[in-house]
Amino acid sequence: MRRVLVLGMALGLVFWAPGLRGEAPTYRVFPDIPYARIPGFDLRLTSLDLYVPLGGTGHPVVVWVHGGGWRGGDKGNLGEKPGAFTGAGYVLVSVNYRLSPAVQHPAHVQDVAAAIAWVRANIAAYGGDPQRIFLIGHSAGAHLVALVATDGAYLEAHGLGLNALSGVVCLDGAGYDIPDQVKRGILPALLYRQAFGDDPEVWWQASPLAHVTPGKGIPPFFLVYAGDRAASREESQELAEALREAGVRVELYHAADKDHAGVNQDLGKPGDELTARVFAFLEGLASPGGQGELPAQVLRDLAYARVGGKSLRLDLHLPRRAEGARIPVVVWIHGGGWRGGDKAGTPAPEVLGEGYAVASINYRLSPEAPFPAQIHDCKAAVRWLRAHADRYGLDPDRIGVWGSSAGGHLAALLGTSGGVAELEGAVGEHLDQESRVQAVCDFFGPADLLALLEPGAWSAPTALSAVSLLLGGPVAERVELARLASPVAHVSPDDPPFLIVHGDRDATVPLDQSERLHRALTASGVSSTLHVVRGAGHGIPELRRDPAVDPLIRAFFDRHLRGQ
């Protein structure tokens, strides 16, 4: 029979709880502490449980807010969270709040604010640090923590500002934009009406998106969306974009292997990737000096432009860096014959390592839009990075580009076409920014599309069809467009340094394409290195099997973007 030692204390009962898997106790539990007393309601609905590490003081604090559609759920359903958080040195506070239909908005969020105020005033007595309070919520709980961290009125009612919060984690939240959710029928309308009433203006004021504005001290956010839930993805992306536009530090994470319930149930489990990412976010803010060093993070699906009602997006991989530091950035452009591919497959962060940001971009593909849409999009991404350099700690004067195959072609074209009006385009909102780059790494990219007209020069059927689709017709009928799309046609002495890597058995894009570009660059006095991988065909893995390739890429960018 399990032993439980119960001690009576003025602030409630203390349970010495056993550790996980029968190990020695690792934390104490203080259950059912009232944070508010509201006549007519069960006291347990306005109470909280504390899970406190054994020994020590000044522990950072995590306040957990459960989900359940604002009408269900309970603070006691925590899974492995108590052991995980206390084992990592956090005080875990799990709160209840009044539920619908007995109450409607703003009662739920008012209760969460009251619980935070209680924690701020009392947690030091339990070994917690009132200056380091983090919020984590799931589903409806994610909505509540997002709202209390963006609408300062709820904490102000207790004499607190948003600076009372050190960070916020939202797990697959519901209700960041309640009118939109009701309109689209994402959840049953009755659920929203029970919780928020029938007034659309109340719905909007209950939406975190309504309260995101610059300069109000909103804390950093870590937003998680699960699986293939399109509504959750879109709302999370919208909130992330609003926070970034307001200058708030935010990370967006896709828990692709989990469903809505799984992001909650798995949090705290050993070996869980989402758990590791959440702790990395918290520790980057909670550790001594954590505000002075920013953790590595990936900001996914940032919209760099909008064309025809569609957002063009990039993933920004940021390394661990000192706050206030300016770091060089390398733009990765994926391949796929201009008609396929995706930004998700970039090798650049692995190859470049610490010291570089990587912006992996998507662009319009040829079935959707013919050339020059693709290079217009790439240039728009570069301009966007320069326009947002201050926000993300990027150095606008040290931007490189790297691409493979069709992406290598676009990378090379970025390098040679600076100032070519037809290729600059007018995509995006930052046309005042420069689109030139300072270094180019080209993996087996086509460089001279007119070679397709030369007998025996380039005859791969896949290339013929891909280039025809890119140009909107056969090369023979699009000669001037093919010339405009060819990097060799724009080489000039002011082009940036090039590193060109190609396999000598590439049957898709012949080595001759890279040789033509290398000759044109060197003839113009541009620094160019051509590295030929013997026996390699078409593909990134083929080239990276050469042990010299990865170090060559790092050394190239180190020399030209970091001066090393």
Side-chain angles (χ1 to χ4, degrees), residues 35-36 38 45-48 63-66 70 93-99 106-120 133-137 140-149 154-155 158 160 165:
Y35 61 80
I38 302 175
L45 291 173
T46 53
S47 68
L48 53 81
V63 177
W64 168 260
V65 182
H66 68 76
W70 304 278
V93 182
S94 185
V95 307
N96 270 351
Y97 50 91
R98 289 171 292 165
L99 302 172
H108 321 94
V109 68
Q110 287 172 338
D111 289 355
V112 171
I116 294 168
W118 185 96
V119 170
R120 176 85 171 190
I133 297 175
F134 299 88
L135 308 182
I136 304 182
H143 160 263
L144 294 173
V145 299
L147 184 58
V148 81
Y154 299 108
L155 289 178
H158 299 274
L160 298 174
L165 305 175

Side-chain angles (χ1 to χ4, degrees), residues 362-400:
N362 275 349
Y363 51 90
R364 284 173 291 169
L365 301 175
S366 55
E368 175 187 357
F371 188 83
Q374 294 71 29
I375 191 64
H376 288 174
D377 295 351
C378 293
K379 287 176 178 280
V382 173
R383 291 193 292 262
W384 185 92
L385 289 167
R386 284 202 165 94
H388 292 81
D390 288 344
R391 179 175 303 171
Y392 299 114
L394 309 176
D395 189 333
D397 298 321
R398 295 187 292 164
I399 298 180

Side-chain angles (χ1 to χ4, degrees), residues 150-327:
T150 53
D151 185 349
Y154 299 108
L155 289 178
E156 286 171 8
H158 299 274
L160 298 174
L162 294 179
N163 61 358
L165 305 175
S166 295
V168 181
V169 177
C170 297
L171 303 176
D172 215 35
Y176 301 149
D177 183 346
I178 294 171
D180 180 68
Q181 293 276 288
V182 173
K183 178 181 177 181
R184 295 168 60 187
I186 303 304
L187 292 173
L190 177 62
L191 185 149
Y192 288 107
R193 294 181 188 278
Q194 282 184 340
F196 302 101
D198 297 316
D199 186 349
E201 179 57 29
V202 172
W203 299 346
W204 177 238
Q205 290 303 316
S207 303
L209 269 168
H211 305 284
V212 177
T213 56
K216 62 193 297 185
I218 296 173
F221 268 69
F222 185 87
L223 298 171
V224 178
Y225 61 94
D228 57 358
R229 283 168 45 86
S232 176
R233 180 188 68 248
E234 291 166 8
E235 280 218 349
S236 296
Q237 290 172 344
E238 188 178 3
L239 180 57
E241 288 181 17
L243 289 165
R244 291 186 189 108
E245 288 299 318
V248 178
R249 179 175 159 192
V250 59
E251 181 172 352
L252 185 63
Y253 177 75
H254 181 203
D257 60 335
K258 301 184 189 299
D259 58 15
H260 181 66
V263 294
N264 173 30
Q265 294 166 352
D266 293 348
L267 185 64
K269 290 183 177 179
D272 178 61
E273 181 181 352
L274 173 60
T275 299
R277 295 297 294 269
V278 169
F279 275 120
F281 171 77
L282 297 176
E283 289 163 9
L285 297 168
S287 60
Q291 296 288 351
E293 181 176 89
L294 301 178
Q297 55 185 324
V298 182
L299 308 178
R300 299 191 187 278
D301 295 318
L302 305 181
Y304 67 83
R306 193 167 180 83
V307 179
K310 174 185 176 181
S311 291
L312 303 175
R313 299 185 182 275
L314 59 82
D315 294 341
L316 186 58
H317 300 250
L318 295 171
R320 184 177 57 189
R321 66 248 183 241
E323 194 164 18
R326 295 283 193 162
I327 54 176

Side-chain angles (χ1 to χ4, degrees), residues 402-454:
W402 176 16
S404 66
S405 195
H409 159 262
L410 293 170
L413 196 54
L414 264 177
T416 64
S417 67
V420 178
E422 301 95 320
L423 299 181
E424 289 297 326
V427 174
E429 300 178 354
H430 306 289
L431 300 179
D432 59 322
Q433 298 291 329
E434 177 62 66
S435 68
R436 292 177 184 266
V437 295
Q438 283 67 58
V440 178
C441 180
D442 168 13
F443 266 29
F444 48 85
D448 185 357
L449 303 189
L450 291 175
L452 287 165
L453 299 179
E454 300 174 17

